[in-house]
Amino acid sequence: MKADLHTLRKYRNKWVHVDCPWEDEELLANPKAIERELEEMAFFSVRALRRTIYENQWI
């Protein structure tokens, strides 16, 4: 669970703390791939949240 939460933190930081916000060519060129990646991480985060809530309620 700790590794999953660390993975989520790193992924979140990639989106929140952008080095150069004007370099978004990849996002504009291939939005479907980014959407797929975001969808996968959304499902991953929901599973991690549910495990956190049900397995260890004191985190």
Side-chain angles (χ1 to χ4, degrees):
M1 186 179 331
K2 183 178 177 181
D4 288 349
L5 295 176
H6 182 66
T7 301
L8 287 172
R9 182 191 60 80
K10 285 174 49 178
Y11 190 77
R12 174 203 169 268
N13 285 347
K14 184 174 84 170
W15 282 93
V16 173
H17 304 290
V18 179
D19 291 333
C20 190
W22 296 277
E23 293 181 7
D24 55 358
E25 289 87 17
E26 181 183 355
L27 178 63
L28 296 174
N30 197 359
K32 291 294 182 185
I34 302 298
E35 286 178 16
R36 236 182 344 266
E37 178 183 319
L38 287 171
E39 182 180 15
E40 289 172 10
M41 287 307 291
F43 285 124
F44 181 78
S45 66
V46 168
R47 285 192 301 271
L49 174 67
R50 291 182 70 180
R51 275 201 349 247
T52 302
I53 290 172
Y54 294 120
E55 290 179 10
N56 192 353
Q57 299 177 4
W58 303 108
I59 290 183

